[in-house]
Amino acid sequence: MKKLILALSVAAVIGGCKTSPTGRTQVTLYSDAQMSQLGGASFEQMKKEQKVNTDSRTNAYVQCVADAVIQVLPTKYAQQKWEVVVFEEDSANAFALPGGHIGVHTGLLKVAQNQDQLATVIGHEVGHVIAEHSNERASQSQMLQTGMQIGAVAMDMGEIGYRNEIMAALGLGAQYGVVLPFSRTHESEADEVGLELMAKAGFEPQQSVALWQNMAQSGGATPPEFLSTHPAPTSRINELQKRMQGANALYQQARSQGKRPQCR
């Protein structure tokens, strides 16, 4: 275990630390160029493998909402070219990838009932990008893999009994003690960043709560929160409500500046 901890610590030091938009310390091992290349390659593959929606009205609507959110991104991201694609997919989902790529499933448009609710999801997904969650997760995966490999070698050298059982336990501990909690942290952070983005763009923040209520009603059975990569809907809604006063202030400021999206 000491070997594992040492390996992870060394990797973290080599990678250096960054600070997320919410002030959380992050470890990222990859450059922006590397992540943009990965994001672009992944998006191109998706466009080849999944059916792209060609309805002009649907695409114009999604593009309108995305453009409004993009305009209020930090300068680094607002100035880059963003590609927005609507995929013919029944799942109520969307995603954003490093390098300026946004994908929206047609199934989401049945759950997000207006422009404000769609902005909630697009803001959330873009929030993952500007908070560098992909980089953080890829770095975390690399660090865990390295640590597990060193741990296995150390136990082989020390002729430790029950090696397979111990390694299995380490893997389980990594999954539930590190990977999943970090995923929930990322989701909560993206909710916070997304709420701020939609409000700054002139979308009504309270609709974020309505969106996740719709999501909860449309979904089936969900696993317990501690075994899930996403916060439970009630937890998510409670956290949004706590930040609603600040979001409403940003919303009113945006409206006073003439930011009044009319996406239909």
Side-chain angles (χ1 to χ4, degrees), residues 44 160 203 236:
E44 288 302 314
I160 297 175
F203 294 103
R236 176 167 251 157

Side-chain angles (χ1 to χ4, degrees), residues 124 128 180 183-184 187 212 224-225 227-233 236:
H124 169 95
H128 280 303
L180 293 185
S183 297
R184 292 194 296 272
E187 288 299 314
W212 294 117
E225 182 172 0
L227 293 180
S228 172
T229 59
H230 291 60
R236 176 167 251 157

Side-chain angles (χ1 to χ4, degrees), residues 45-248:
Q45 189 67 26
M46 289 178 187
K47 289 191 292 183
K48 292 178 182 178
E49 296 177 351
Q50 300 182 34
K51 184 178 180 180
V52 175
N53 178 280
T54 58
D55 180 74
S56 58
R57 184 174 180 178
T58 299
N59 279 268
Y61 169 58
V62 174
Q63 186 74 53
C64 176
V65 175
D67 285 345
V69 173
I70 290 168
Q71 287 177 6
V72 298
L73 294 179
T75 304
K76 170 184 174 181
Y77 298 97
Q79 291 181 344
Q80 71 181 37
K81 182 178 179 181
W82 286 81
E83 180 182 13
V84 182
V85 174
V86 180
F87 292 96
E88 286 287 351
E89 167 60 48
D90 290 336
S91 61
N93 203 3
F95 59 90
L97 298 175
H101 310 281
I102 297 173
V104 174
H105 293 180
T106 51
L108 175 63
L109 303 180
K110 299 175 183 178
V111 179
Q113 298 176 353
N114 53 47
Q115 63 170 9
D116 306 282
Q117 293 181 18
L118 180 57
T120 298
V121 182
I122 291 179
H124 169 95
E125 297 303 331
V126 173
H128 280 303
V129 173
I130 66 177
E132 298 193 54
H133 290 162
S134 295
N135 195 335
E136 192 175 5
R137 290 299 300 278
S139 302
Q140 179 192 71
S141 178
Q142 180 62 47
M143 290 162 60
L144 285 173
Q145 182 179 359
T146 300
M148 293 292 286
Q149 290 172 346
I150 293 177
V153 171
M155 281 187 276
D156 281 341
M157 293 176 63
E159 299 181 352
I160 297 175
Y162 305 105
R163 175 187 179 280
N164 291 337
E165 289 82 355
I166 293 173
M167 290 304 296
L170 284 174
L172 186 65
Q175 176 71 5
Y176 293 116
V178 179
V179 177
L180 293 185
F182 260 90
S183 297
R184 292 194 296 272
T185 296
H186 288 172
E187 288 299 314
S188 297
E189 191 167 58
D191 278 351
E192 182 176 351
V193 174
L195 181 65
E196 180 176 315
L197 289 175
M198 69 176 294
K200 286 182 176 180
F203 294 103
E204 184 182 352
Q206 191 62 41
Q207 286 294 319
S208 63
V209 172
L211 180 280
W212 294 117
Q213 289 172 337
N214 293 348
M215 285 286 196
Q217 292 172 2
S218 66
T222 56
E225 182 172 0
F226 75 95
L227 293 180
S228 172
T229 59
H230 291 60
T234 52
S235 298
R236 176 167 251 157
I237 290 171
N238 288 338
E239 288 303 311
L240 287 171
Q241 292 284 30
K242 291 178 183 178
R243 299 186 174 91
M244 200 55 62
Q245 183 176 355
N248 280 326

